[in-house]
Structures are given as C-alpha cells and as structure tokens.
Amino acid sequence: MNPEQVEPVAVEGRIRIPYRWPAGRAAGTFLSLLAAEGRLVGLRCPTCRRVAVPPTARCNSCRAACEEQVPVGPGGSVTTWTLSRRTSPPQILALVRLDGADTALLHRLIGLKPEDVRSGMRVEAVFEKDRRGSILDLAGFRPAPAEPPSASAGKPAGGAR
Amino acid sequence: MKPVSILGVAQTKHCARRDDANYMELAFEVIQDLFRKTGWSHDRVDTIISASSDFWDGRTISEIAIQDPAGAPGKSASKVSMDGAFALIYAAARIASGAFKTCLVVAHGKASEGEPRAIANAGFDPLFQRPIGIDDHTALGLQARRFLEKRGMLGSVLAEAAAQSAAAAAKNPNAHRRAAKHVLAADPLHEDEIAPDSDGACALLLGEGGPVELAGFGCATDAHQLGERDLGDPGVLPRASLEAHRMAGVREVDVAEIHDASSAQTLLWREGLGLPERVALNPSGGAMGAQPGFATGLVRVAEVCERLARGEGRTGLAHGMTGFVGQAHCVWILRRRS
C-alpha cells in the first residue's frame, strides 16, 4: 500500500484526572473567609505596603513575608475587560481593583450588557448564598452607583512595581 | 566561554492541521531538512535539547517521543517545557561551556491535536483564574483593551498592525495561510488580530564557526496573576532586552523578529524592546503569520539567522515568550560573523 494514498488515521481521546489542590495559608485564609463570612481580605506587605488580592504569602513586588490582613472591597473599579465567547451567552471577564487593594482580581461582570461596560466603572461584589470555599463563591461584580470612597481608587493595577 | 554560532536552521511550513504526520514525524521532518541543508547527520551531533509542552502533546514527558527522531539514544538529551527561545539558552550553554561541540535544538507545536483554548485555560492557576473561564485569547483581550485605553488609542491601530503582519506573512512561503475574519473574538481584538494556532516545527544546529553567532541573551519573568501586572505596559520585556543588548555589546539591531500573539503585542513589544522605526520588525509576518506552540520563538531565531546569513543586516534580535500575555520573555541578539 502506498503511504501517500492512505487516509490519515486520528485516534480520539480525552484525559480526565481528578486533582486536589491545597490552597496554602494565604489563599486558603482568603477562600475560608469568603465562604464563611462573605468577606474579602488582602495581605499587606510590611515593607512596601502593597496590598495583594488574591493574597500571596510573599510580596510579589519586594518578596517580604506578608501577614497583615486588611479588608478590601466589596466595591471596586474595572481596570480592563473583555468578552469570553466560549460560553453561551458570552461572559464579561474583567480585572477589578477592589477598594483598598493594589492588585486586581480577575472575575466576571454580571447584571449588565457588554455595551454598558466601561473601564474605570464602579462595581461591587455579589456573593453566592451557598458558599463552599472557591473563588466562584463570588458570583461576580455588578455595577455600583456609589463613588469611590477613597482617593486612591481608580488607579490601574500593578501598583507598587 | 566559547563563542556559540548557528550552523544551520530549518522550519516546516506552518498550517492549521497536519494530519499526515504525528508530532514525532513533524520533528523528524524538520531535523531531516536541517541535515539536508547543512550536510550534517545524526552521528555528528553531540547533544540534543528540545522544547515541547506535555499538555499540548497530551502526554507526560512528551519529549521522550521525539528522542528517536532526534537521534538521541546514547547521547545527552534534555528538554525545556518553555518556548524554544528559552531552550536555546540551555543549548547555547552546552556549547559555551566547552562540554559539547554541536547541539541540535528542536521544537514543535501541534495545536490541532487538542483544544487550544481549553489547554490554555488549564495553564492558569486552579484557585483564582482558571475557574473564571479565562484562556489565552481572553487574556489577550484584557491586555489589548488596557493597552489602547492607557495610550488613548483607537482600535483601528490593532487592525492596521494586523494588516501589516498579514502583508508580510503573505510573502513568507512558510507562513500559516488562513482566512481569519474581522469579527470580534476577544474584545477589542478581532479574529484576524490574534495569532493563529499552527502546526509546525523548527530545528537549529549550534556549534562553532557558523556564519551567525549568538551574541547575547536576556530573559525575565513576571507575576503569573494577570491582576498583579499592568497589562498595558510591556512588563519585564525591557529588562530582558537590556540584558541581551548588554551581553552582546550591541546598541541597535538591523532586523527583529518577535512573538506577537496579538496585533496589540506587535505594538506593545516593539515599544518594550525600544526598537526605532528604521528597524524591520517581523519581516516574516512574525507569530501573527504562524504560531506553532513552543516552536514560535525558535522560528524567530531561525528567521533572523537566515536574514543575517543572506547579508540583510549585521545584527538582529529574536524574541520568544512563555506564559500568558508576556509573563516571561527571552531576547536573543544575533550577529553575522564577517
């Protein structure tokens, strides 16, 4: 048989492997408080004062160990957004800088149409009623009428770099 | 350290789907082409470094499958699970150290075997970003919007940059021919403003005495979480670029090939590299012309090498990228030996 004349054969497959990912201390605390109290917290760096959300055990800007917990949100502002068409209907994905944070959180915008989204717009967290310790305990962020409570709000993410 | 030069390069034609060859055969094809062009053979190669992604290939330690086509049995072979431009650091070090005389570097990408967006989604951390449904394209959308808004630019600049890349790619016989539409894909990016998912491979032979030398490199890594970075900035790219120029002792290059996963990146990385207008950027069409997974950065090196070897300039820059929207950059400076 001439190999050039053979129809290419492709074998279909799928890999499904269950994992169990311990969140670690910093992220685990964040997810526990989110689930138990519907509260958002960041960790403040003792050296450069940067507040990271999601929190990290070490400051990604200056590498100092971070332990000081600070409340953030539930309000924030959109720093950038896009539309994911992998789902139907499409989802609005956004980076939201929570009030009191220096980094932005990736999440979904809900309760508004893509044509009404603007970078810089004020949003607030919407919590699920049944929470189980996942970032999806946050249903997303919806438009909020209130003005930023502090002068620092509205800055782009990536602050103390 | 011994000087390291490129003895030869080869790349496949890149396309949407190569059902006629599995990825081992794709690697074999490009290695055979390299040997044909250089007159070298497997038995004269001392060591092999490859770049591949287990996730894209759908198997763990996927490089074990390309060790046979690479002629690795009995030799020292290793793998980098990053773009081929990063694998080149490992390969160059093997020559520079004097431990090996010749090194085969091979990288492949076969986007058609899996679902690129689903694979990209799984590349994000499982706690905070993956559950949100982000993938490589939506990350590019977030970056493109921030880039435009930070500079007060209109979306039309993305279309113009994409059109320039497409015009260059149309003259490149190896480029991925596609009929991308101007429809929104990851706002504000349209389908034709995002680099294609390609099947293809690239191979280089490193050693001493070739026409083009690897004069310097630099690489830098940024935070993984998208919200830790200002996506409208070139991030750590200027640091990688500075390091490469310093090592090479080169101030300005004549030609540059960069990995631009979107037309916003064509503009943003040009800015981050500080390339003046006179420098020819992506004469091959860049990654916007073909994006064969981890071979994409190595193809940039191959393109620059061939241009310098033909006398189109004396120095050139090649850029590779790993991670999402520029988390890690690798910059090479190449110089023609005269």
Side-chain angles (χ1 to χ4, degrees):
Chain A
M1 213 157 52
N2 180 355
E4 299 295 320
Q5 290 165 346
V6 175
E7 266 310 292
V9 175
V11 178
E12 307 258 333
R14 175 179 287 268
I15 301 174
R16 294 183 84 103
I17 302 167
Y19 282 88
R20 191 183 153 274
W21 290 294
R25 212 153 41 88
T29 305
F30 174 91
L31 293 172
S32 297
L33 288 170
L34 172 58
E37 301 173 25
R39 196 150 79 76
L40 298 168
V41 294
L43 281 179
R44 191 195 300 280
C45 171
T47 312
C48 73
R49 311 303 290 163
R50 181 178 183 265
V51 175
V53 181
T56 51
R58 291 218 166 247
C59 175
N60 267 336
S61 189
C62 71
R63 314 298 157 202
C66 303
E67 283 172 2
E68 186 194 344
Q69 216 176 70
V70 292
V72 293
S77 42
V78 171
T79 65
T80 183
W81 63 278
T82 188
L83 206 55
S84 171
R85 290 179 167 78
R86 288 174 71 217
T87 54
S88 177
Q91 272 175 339
I92 307 168
L93 305 186
L95 288 174
V96 174
R97 205 178 70 84
L98 290 159
D99 296 338
D102 291 301
T103 63
L105 185 69
L106 175 72
H107 222 289
R108 299 165 183 164
L109 300 186
I110 55 178
L112 79 172
K113 294 191 179 108
E115 52 268 33
D116 296 328
V117 186
R118 296 286 177 274
S119 295
M121 79 185 288
R122 294 290 300 164
V123 290
E124 63 186 11
V126 179
F127 298 93
E128 294 284 4
K129 286 205 175 63
D130 177 24
R131 298 189 293 266
R132 49 194 66 187
S134 147
I135 192 62
L136 295 179
D137 288 349
L138 261 179
F141 288 84
R142 69 180 171 209
E147 282 304 298
S150 79
S152 66
K155 272 193 314 187
R161 189 162 291 277
Chain B
M1 280 199 310
K2 292 190 185 303
V4 184
S5 61
I6 302 175
L7 305 179
V9 304
Q11 61 178 301
T12 60
K13 285 185 190 297
H14 309 287
C15 63
R17 196 172 178 130
R18 281 288 306 273
D19 272 357
D20 63 307
N22 62 32
Y23 74 84
M24 296 75 101
E25 290 167 336
L26 203 61
F28 189 62
E29 177 182 314
V30 79
I31 293 166
Q32 288 303 109
D33 190 35
L34 177 69
F35 288 156
R36 187 184 55 76
K37 285 162 88 175
T38 55
W40 281 64
S41 57
H42 279 300
D43 45 351
R44 291 173 66 198
V45 171
D46 292 338
T47 179
I48 295 128
I49 301 292
S50 63
S52 60
S53 159
D54 292 2
F55 222 145
W56 280 333
D57 288 335
R59 59 164 94 177
T60 305
I61 329 177
S62 70
E63 80 279 9
I64 54 175
I66 59 170
Q67 303 300 25
D68 281 343
K75 292 177 185 170
S76 170
S78 192
K79 172 250 190 103
V80 174
S81 194
M82 291 177 90
D83 182 89
F86 292 84
L88 195 57
I89 301 171
Y90 195 170
R94 301 205 130 191
I95 304 295
S97 68
F100 299 91
K101 289 259 185 258
T102 52
C103 179
L104 171 66
V105 192
V106 59
H108 72 274
K110 260 200 113 191
S112 69
E113 289 190 355
E115 288 180 25
R117 303 294 85 71
I119 291 170
N121 173 256
F124 284 90
D125 83 274
L127 298 180
F128 294 109
Q129 297 180 114
R130 197 187 301 179
I132 308 301
I134 186 97
D135 58 34
D136 52 344
H137 283 189
T138 35
L140 290 171
L142 293 173
Q143 179 188 43
R145 184 178 307 284
R146 177 72 189 136
F147 167 71
L148 291 177
E149 291 180 348
K150 191 165 188 184
R151 285 160 185 74
M153 286 175 170
L154 295 173
S156 56
V157 299
L158 303 179
E160 285 161 24
Q164 279 187 17
S165 296
K171 290 182 226 152
N172 175 1
N174 297 320
H176 178 161
R177 307 278 169 239
R178 60 168 181 162
K181 298 190 186 82
H182 192 66
V183 293
L184 280 168
D187 312 40
L189 290 170
H190 298 78
E191 193 185 305
D192 57 357
E193 293 159 356
I194 298 177
D197 300 310
S198 314
D199 284 6
C202 182
L204 259 65
L205 196 60
L206 297 188
E208 292 173 63
V212 176
E213 66 176 0
L214 292 173
F217 78 93
C219 53
T221 306
D222 211 335
H224 170 65
Q225 296 281 337
L226 301 180
E228 291 253 4
R229 305 183 242 155
D230 185 341
L231 300 180
D233 285 339
V236 295
L237 178 57
R239 196 178 301 182
S241 178
L242 184 68
E243 204 178 295
H245 282 84
R246 268 196 196 141
M247 189 189 288
V250 166
R251 279 179 183 280
E252 231 177 64
V253 294
D254 301 315
V255 60
E257 280 278 343
I258 63 171
H259 185 167
D260 45 353
S262 74
S263 61
Q265 289 191 354
T266 317
L267 303 170
L268 189 54
W269 299 161
R270 168 163 216 144
E271 179 189 307
L273 291 164
L275 296 173
E277 277 302 309
R278 68 160 197 91
V279 177
L281 182 73
N282 282 352
S284 75
M288 288 293 287
Q291 189 179 225
F294 283 173
T296 309
L298 203 60
V299 171
R300 309 276 70 76
V301 177
E303 287 285 345
V304 170
C305 177
E306 286 194 308
R307 274 166 213 285
L308 297 185
R310 285 202 299 265
E312 296 173 28
R314 199 175 122 70
T315 58
L317 179 152
H319 159 253
M321 185 167 63
T322 296
F324 299 104
V325 286
Q327 193 196 338
H329 294 281
C330 182
V331 175
W332 283 96
I333 302 292
L334 282 69
R335 182 165 41 214
R336 177 160 46 86
R337 297 170 68 232
S338 44

